[in-house]
Amino acid sequence: MDNTQPLHIGCAAGFSGDRTDAAAPVVEALIASGRPAVLIFETLAERTLALAQLARRSQPDAGYEPLLDDLLRPVLARCLAHGVRIVSNFGAANPHGAARRIVQLAQELGARAPRIAVVHGDDLSGPQHRGMLAQALGDRMPTEPIASANAYIGAQPIADALRAGADVVVCGRVADPSLVLGPALAHFGWRMDDWDRLARATMAGHLLECGSQVTGGYFADPGYKDVPGLARLGYPIAEIDPDGHCTIAKPAGTGGRIDERTVKEQLLYELHDPAAYLTPDVVADITAARVAQAGPDRVRLEGVRGHARPDTLKVNVCFESGWFAEGEISYAGPRAAERARLAGQVLRERLAGVAPLRIDLIGVASIFEGDDSAWLEGPLPPGVQDVRLRAAWQLPSHADAQRLVREVTALYCAGPAGGGGVRTAMRPRLGTVSCLVPRAAVETGFTMME
């Protein structure tokens, strides 16, 4: 492969639950470019893995991205036929299960059999890792059963898998930008201490990792930041050059926009320190970065610098944390807010002393209020006629948590007047703690599924 050619990397998902029709236009644009190309799907968030572990407990073949078929079916055959390689973290808690399903899907589509690499090393849930986690967490080590413990591993095993000829690379918890850096490492052959180039490709990955956020989705604010064609957003493509600089674009004919403002917003998204964005691969510094329009819906990013990677890896530990219950009921018309507040006061009195109770008055006080439900006593805005009361709490047992569900339902007839549209829900709750572990204690690699 000519590693002087730019590498084109398209992103077709930014989280688990993203749109499933985004990939086809991206793939067609990658094919039309005639350049070496990779398609990524980013489908994990901090708690997605723990939920996947719980799903696998009840169904051993589950635990990978539930929308895998919907994401891949429209494009898998085209990618295999045209050499567009696929890299994703949709393996979640069961990367081998995801790989097996991709083999089956290729057979169903009549496509050639793909070479699939499964990345390993992120899963630290096993008993052999308990001592290391306990040492790292100290008195924060959960006493409840651990649902998952996963390290944010980096790009090296992805790059190695692609160099070994993988058509598809299935990962669990890798750092989001590593999905882009891995293919860039494999294509350009950079050293693992070429910090500037690694940082530049990492920030290209940061721009891609949330999918359509950078093409206008999370940017849109009508009348202030208008975005055309929001219902048919195009998802982003990064054109990465041999020095790691990138140009962000999107498929022609799709909705959305890419300009300096959308790129700058995404560049700063979830960035704690612009001088030191920590990843498993490199510490990126964007304080001297330059963002410039390079054409219609094309923006160039240059000037990113890099520093040596950290000696530790971040680990998220999720543990069983009882049951979460919530209930909602609506009040409308004159004095709706007053009636909703009275309902909240009734719940607070009847459930007093059991557990902390969160009560929100949606439409009056929910997003901007704290957890103390101070609005139950304070003044209410005048003239509100459309209010939804929400109550929620968390308790160790299902039976205890369910008491809230019963009390909200009872408001139908137990007053105040005019309540309706009750909805209730119960689900297991997961708690999360994070720690840092020595990089040397986490062994990563890949296996090729023949």
Side-chain angles (χ1 to χ4, degrees):
M1 180 181 292
D2 180 3
N3 63 5
T4 65
Q5 291 191 73
L7 175 65
H8 287 207
I9 303 180
C11 178
F15 66 100
S16 179
D18 205 348
R19 292 177 179 172
T20 58
D21 60 351
V26 174
V27 169
E28 294 309 313
L30 293 175
I31 294 171
S33 75
R35 302 289 190 180
V38 176
L39 176 69
I40 70 165
F41 296 88
E42 201 290 286
T43 63
L44 287 185
E46 280 69 16
R47 298 168 67 86
T48 316
L49 262 170
L51 297 173
Q53 292 281 12
L54 294 177
R56 193 176 183 185
R57 287 185 189 180
S58 58
Q59 187 178 348
D61 289 338
Y64 56 82
E65 168 55 46
L67 294 176
L68 178 68
D69 278 31
D70 296 315
L71 292 168
L72 280 186
R73 187 179 293 276
V75 297
L76 179 58
R78 290 283 287 166
C79 287
L80 293 173
H82 290 272
V84 177
R85 301 162 104 177
I86 297 171
V87 178
S88 179
N89 53 17
F90 46 39
N94 190 2
H96 284 278
R100 288 190 293 270
R101 179 56 197 145
I102 295 169
V103 171
Q104 294 169 354
L105 190 57
Q107 292 172 343
E108 293 170 13
L109 294 169
R112 69 172 177 84
R115 295 197 75 202
I116 303 178
V118 178
V119 169
H120 59 78
D122 67 294
D123 191 349
L124 306 181
S125 304
Q128 69 273 26
H129 303 295
R130 287 293 192 271
M132 178 177 66
L133 296 177
Q135 183 176 3
L137 288 166
D139 58 9
R140 297 184 300 125
M141 182 70 177
T143 56
E144 301 86 352
I146 290 178
S148 67
N150 293 86
Y152 285 70
I153 64 175
Q156 183 75 66
I158 296 173
D160 291 343
L162 292 170
R163 291 187 187 112
D167 300 304
V168 181
V169 181
V170 179
C171 308
R173 177 72 280 178
V174 298
D176 298 347
S178 301
L179 296 172
V180 169
L181 178 57
L185 284 169
H187 177 69
F188 294 114
W190 299 328
R191 301 188 321 272
M192 286 305 297
D193 61 353
D194 191 343
W195 304 122
D196 285 347
R197 287 186 173 91
L198 268 60
R200 292 164 191 161
T202 290
M203 296 316 296
H206 179 70
L207 291 175
L208 292 189
E209 69 188 45
C210 293
S212 58
Q213 281 193 188
V214 76
T215 60
Y218 203 63
F219 176 87
D221 189 351
Y224 178 58
K225 297 184 298 182
D226 292 313
V227 176
L230 202 63
R232 49 182 182 82
L233 276 175
Y235 280 52
I237 297 171
E239 303 168 8
I240 303 174
D241 70 21
D243 284 324
H245 303 299
C246 72
T247 299
I248 303 298
K250 68 181 183 69
T254 59
R257 61 187 286 182
I258 295 180
D259 58 26
E260 293 182 28
R261 293 196 299 164
T262 68
V263 169
K264 287 176 181 177
E265 280 201 10
Q266 181 59 28
L267 193 64
L268 295 172
Y269 179 72
E270 293 183 340
L271 204 68
H272 176 261
D273 183 354
Y277 176 45
L278 275 65
T279 79
D281 304 298
V282 66
V283 176
D285 178 352
I286 66 166
T287 54
R290 300 181 300 275
V291 174
Q293 199 75 35
D297 289 318
R298 292 176 60 83
V299 169
R300 179 80 168 166
L301 172 64
E302 295 183 343
V304 175
R305 300 297 304 273
H307 308 289
R309 66 188 188 183
D311 294 327
T312 55
L313 297 176
K314 178 184 175 180
V315 177
N316 275 352
V317 180
C318 291
F319 56 93
E320 296 179 16
S321 186
W323 285 83
F324 176 78
E326 63 180 333
E328 297 181 4
I329 185 170
S330 293
Y331 296 90
R335 295 171 302 283
E338 286 78 4
R339 284 180 283 129
R341 176 161 71 176
L342 177 55
Q345 291 167 338
V346 167
L347 292 175
R348 178 61 55 83
E349 183 176 344
R350 288 186 60 80
L351 299 172
V354 179
L357 180 63
R358 171 67 187 249
I359 299 179
D360 294 308
L361 208 61
I362 299 171
V364 175
S366 57
I367 300 298
F368 295 110
E369 286 296 320
D371 290 339
D372 56 2
S373 304
W375 62 266
L376 285 173
E377 307 297 336
L380 292 169
V384 177
Q385 296 196 19
D386 187 347
V387 181
R388 189 153 180 86
L389 176 77
R390 174 186 177 269
W393 69 2
Q394 179 177 330
L395 282 166
S397 77
H398 184 280
D400 290 339
Q402 197 171 33
R403 183 176 170 189
L404 173 67
V405 169
R406 296 197 302 270
E407 289 291 343
V408 173
T409 303
L411 292 172
Y412 265 132
C413 290
V422 169
R423 290 185 182 178
T424 61
M426 294 274 298
R427 60 181 182 271
R429 187 76 164 181
L430 296 170
T432 305
V433 290
S434 299
C435 61
L436 299 175
V437 301
R439 175 185 297 274
V442 179
E443 184 178 349
T444 66
F446 73 94
T447 56
M448 196 70 77
M449 210 176 143
E450 299 297 342

